[in-house]
Amino acid sequence: MAQSQTTDQPAYNIHWRRNLVVCLLGSFTTIVAMTLLLPFLPLYVEQLGADSHAAIVQWSGVAYGATFFAAALVAPLWGRLGDRYGRKLMLVRASFGMAVCMSLTGMVQSVWQLVLLRVLIGFAGGYSSGSTILVAMQTPKDRSGWALGTLSAGIMAGNLVGPLIGGALPPLIGIRATFLLAGGVIFLAFLATTLLVKEEARPATPAAPSAKAKSGWSQIPDKRPVAAMLATGMLLMFATMSIEPIITVYVGQLVDDQNRVTLISGVVMSAAALGAILSSSYLGKLADRIGHWTVVAGALAAAALLLVPQAFVTASWQLVALRFLMGLALGGLLPSITAVIRHNVPDGVGGNVLGLSISAQYVGQVAGPLLGGFVGGHFGMRAVFLMTAVLMAAGAAANGLLRARHLATQPA
């Protein structure tokens, strides 16, 4: 019986529940450690020698974006190496490398050293993306939506909690000590991953030389669903990040007391994250039942509808409510994108292709703020919301059409 199950689901791992818990906690702690620098990064840049407002803003942006740029370059490589040498090894590598680089960040003496270490963190890191690949490839396919949704909730929670901790710790222990503490937290994730994650022995594959000659992409039988999900992941991060740079400025137009702008902006950003945390596991379970591609198209359509009234709000509470609803709509999107890819690629190249997906998302994460800032600066804040709504609606329509065509070609 066990033999037939292994044949039917070669990626199934009997330890998948324990691996999910470790990856969930490890992703949460590493994301907290990675994002806690957001509130004080400009202050640290100033301490390292940036002596003008323009230089502080410029170097802060370079230091922050350097990690995503580097991660986008190497994500497919780590996915390919995970397919070949084991996905647990990639998590161990990522957590150890991030722990070292984060600790060293607290010891830099110049802005150049800070940027260099941020690049190295991008090259070495990727714990949460590696966890996504491991969970996607080792969880039974009929539970993948729920498992990925649960993991996504942990990642979102880390993004929510990290800046809050980053705002509280530096006044208590100092910026440099905060980085050292973050490095220690990531090191605990390294220990937990090393000791607790169980990966089944990888069987010898005699056909490896011929498989090696073919790229992961060339081994995908039907590339259309995978290509659609790569583009959708990039669109999602592009659309989400296009809003981020203008939220504080937009909130400033809605409130009379300018001393409350930063606080309310934080609440607006947190509202979307909170909505995603609450819905990701439920939408993942729903996707397992009604189809992951169906949830992708529906979530994009709902987000497009919710973006339109955000361009015309007259009070900050309205923006908070709409961002929360948008978070609820988008909570299951990334898990469903990952699940669609997982179901349409061979097991031997799943990590490689999921690495491409993560890389595409990083590209959207870098490009979104650039276009959002440009449109907001030249055409006004409302134009950013409306532009993003159009992109989301186009993505929903394209996914609905491609899904219908894909299903039409499937055997009855």
Side-chain angles (χ1 to χ4, degrees):
M1 193 71 163
Q3 182 69 31
S4 66
Q5 185 185 52
T6 304
T7 303
D8 294 339
Q9 289 187 323
Y12 178 86
N13 186 326
I14 61 173
H15 304 291
W16 69 271
R17 290 182 178 85
R18 176 164 64 176
N19 290 349
L20 173 60
V21 172
V22 176
C23 288
L24 173 66
L25 296 176
S27 295
F28 173 77
T29 55
T30 53
I31 290 292
V32 167
M34 291 294 293
T35 58
L36 57 77
L37 88 164
L38 290 176
F40 61 80
L41 180 59
L43 300 178
Y44 196 40
V45 168
E46 185 176 13
Q47 288 183 12
L48 294 174
D51 54 4
S52 68
H53 177 74
I56 292 171
V57 173
Q58 175 184 339
W59 282 112
S60 296
V62 170
Y64 183 65
T67 298
F68 298 113
F69 177 76
L73 295 178
V74 297
L77 171 64
W78 295 140
R80 190 178 306 120
L81 292 177
D83 285 335
R84 185 175 302 173
Y85 299 112
R87 297 176 183 100
K88 174 183 175 178
L89 180 62
M90 294 299 102
L91 294 183
V92 171
R93 171 204 56 76
S95 52
F96 183 77
M98 292 165 69
V100 172
C101 291
M102 185 64 72
S103 300
L104 290 176
T105 304
M107 305 176 189
V108 298
Q109 301 298 318
S110 69
V111 177
W112 280 104
Q113 294 173 2
L114 174 64
V115 172
L116 175 61
L117 278 169
R118 293 288 296 171
V119 171
L120 291 177
I121 288 173
F123 282 141
Y127 187 95
S128 60
S129 57
S131 293
T132 300
I133 293 175
L134 184 142
V135 170
M137 299 305 298
Q138 296 190 356
T139 302
K141 289 186 177 181
D142 61 348
R143 303 295 302 278
S144 60
W146 171 81
L148 289 166
T150 301
L151 180 63
S152 179
I155 294 172
M156 286 287 186
N159 280 301
L160 180 64
V161 173
L164 299 178
I165 295 177
L169 276 182
L172 299 176
I173 63 175
I175 290 178
R176 294 186 182 275
T178 299
F179 280 115
L180 294 175
L181 180 62
V185 169
I186 299 177
F187 187 75
L188 292 178
F190 159 75
L191 292 178
T193 303
T194 303
L195 299 175
L196 299 177
V197 170
K198 299 296 181 183
E199 188 170 31
E200 294 176 348
R202 305 177 69 79
T205 51
S210 61
K212 185 178 179 181
K214 298 176 66 179
S215 68
W217 185 259
S218 65
Q219 296 181 50
I220 302 172
D222 186 354
K223 299 177 176 60
R224 291 171 297 176
V226 179
M229 293 304 104
L230 294 181
T232 301
M234 184 187 300
L235 169 65
L236 170 65
M237 300 312 297
F238 181 93
T240 301
M241 295 306 295
S242 68
I243 301 294
E244 295 294 322
I246 61 109
I247 280 183
T248 301
V249 180
Y250 193 48
V251 168
Q253 299 175 359
L254 298 174
V255 299
D256 296 325
D257 185 0
Q258 295 302 301
N259 293 325
R260 300 175 60 228
V261 168
T262 304
L263 173 62
I264 295 175
S265 298
V267 173
V268 170
M269 295 178 188
S270 299
L274 178 61
I277 292 169
L278 295 177
S279 69
S280 57
S281 179
Y282 171 77
L283 288 178
K285 188 182 297 185
L286 177 66
D288 286 334
R289 190 167 69 250
I290 68 172
H292 302 95
W293 211 340
T294 303
V295 170
V296 168
L300 289 173
L305 290 174
L306 289 166
L307 276 163
V308 174
Q310 290 178 47
F312 302 102
V313 295
T314 57
S316 58
W317 68 266
Q318 298 169 354
L319 186 60
V320 170
L322 288 168
R323 296 298 290 178
F324 175 75
L325 292 175
M326 186 170 169
L328 288 177
L330 295 179
L333 198 48
L334 280 179
S336 295
I337 289 172
T338 304
V340 171
I341 294 174
R342 168 68 184 94
H343 292 183
N344 286 277
V345 300
D347 294 317
V349 298
N352 184 359
V353 179
L354 287 171
L356 290 175
S357 174
I358 291 164
S359 185
Q361 292 166 29
Y362 279 132
V363 171
Q365 203 161 1
V366 172
L370 295 178
L371 183 61
F374 176 82
V375 172
H378 289 79
F379 302 101
M381 303 296 108
R382 301 185 193 278
V384 180
F385 289 97
L386 296 177
M387 173 200 71
T388 307
V390 171
L391 290 175
M392 288 287 203
N399 273 282
L401 180 62
L402 289 170
R403 173 184 171 277
R405 289 182 176 178
H406 177 68
L407 291 178
T409 62
Q410 298 303 298

